[in-house]
Structure formats: structure tokens, C-alpha cells
Amino acid sequence: MSARISPGRIVITRRGRRKGELTPRDFVEIAIAEAESSQARAAASTEHRMHLAAYAARPDIEALVHAHPLGLSAYAVRGEVPDVNALDEARAFVRAIGLVAYAPSGSEALAAAVAAALPGRDVLILRDHGALSVGASVEEALAKLEIAEHLAMTLLLARR
């Protein structure tokens, strides 16, 4: 999880932290244009490249949540995107979900693919990985991810 604190800086979770037990010490401040060899990058989440690329690609983004929820992860393995038109809430709040081709976790290739897929979308499914959501706040990004997950699980169950 990350949040913008100024036009050129974010805070992001530290590498290896359990998201349900975060404290203020579990965040690292990092510049969007941070040097690759910096101590901040070394301490930040292994997915920091993806976060930084998203903020650079979309100046309107104030927060990003990346997770591996069951339903969206199932769609990630299938290489598919759930139809947002299946539920009113998803159609109204999520609007569009993008699919990002597989790239190794934490890689520059994944970061570039996320940046390319974000315009026009606030929720992305990462092939064979998980999902991410962006918003004007952490709460909004989390809400969009939760709505997308509810959509995914509803559709998976309806197909049974």
C-alpha cells in the first residue's frame, strides 16, 4: 500500500510487513524519481517499482493498494477480467478493469506494464499475480479493490 504525500514523494509499506498489523514505523518515504540504489528503495516493498511507475503515469493518483484477493487472483490466473456490467456497484464505482500481461513480481517490466495499462482504469488485474487499485485516498483505492473482489467472487460463484 502507498500514498502520495507531495507531488514527488510517497510513503509505501516496508518490505515484508503484514498488512493487517501496520504501524507508522512500517512505512518508508520515497521519491517518485528515487535513485535505484537508494536505501529507501532497499527498505520499501518489493513492488515499489510498480507503485512508483503508477504515480509517475497518473499524477491524479493519491493512493495505491496492491493485494492478492482470492476472486481477482482467480481471474489473474485465468487471464480474464470480470465484467463490471454484471453488478450496479461495480459499474458505478469501478467502471473498467484492465488486464496486465504477466511480468515477474517487482520487475521493471511489471512496472512499465502497469503504467501503460492505468490510463482510463483504476483497477488492474496482474496476470498470474493479483490486483491493484488506485484512488484519491487509501480508503477509495481499497473500496474499489473490495468492490472488484466482490464482483469477481459473485461471477465465479454464479458460473458454478
Side-chain angles (χ1 to χ4, degrees), residues 66-132:
H66 166 62
H68 309 95
L70 188 58
L72 291 171
S73 294
Y75 272 91
V77 169
R78 293 168 78 156
E80 297 175 5
V81 174
D83 179 9
V84 295
N85 292 312
L87 292 175
D88 285 346
E89 189 177 28
R91 185 173 41 255
F93 295 108
V94 176
R95 294 188 300 273
I97 299 174
L99 179 65
V100 175
Y102 175 76
S105 296
S107 68
E108 286 292 341
L110 180 59
V114 164
L118 269 174
R121 299 177 189 96
D122 289 345
V123 176
L124 299 178
I125 292 177
L126 310 175
R127 182 67 201 251
D128 297 338
H129 186 124
L132 69 83

Side-chain angles (χ1 to χ4, degrees), residues 1-5 10 51 54-55 58-66 93-95 118 121-124 132-145:
M1 160 175 21
S2 63
R4 190 185 299 268
I5 57 172
I10 66 168
H51 288 249
Y55 288 104
R58 293 259 312 265
D60 62 307
I61 293 172
E62 294 293 327
L64 188 152
V65 175
H66 166 62
F93 295 108
V94 176
R95 294 188 300 273
L118 269 174
R121 299 177 189 96
D122 289 345
V123 176
L124 299 178
L132 69 83
S133 179
V134 300
S137 65
V138 172
E139 293 82 7
E140 182 181 292
L142 182 58
K144 287 180 181 184
L145 192 67

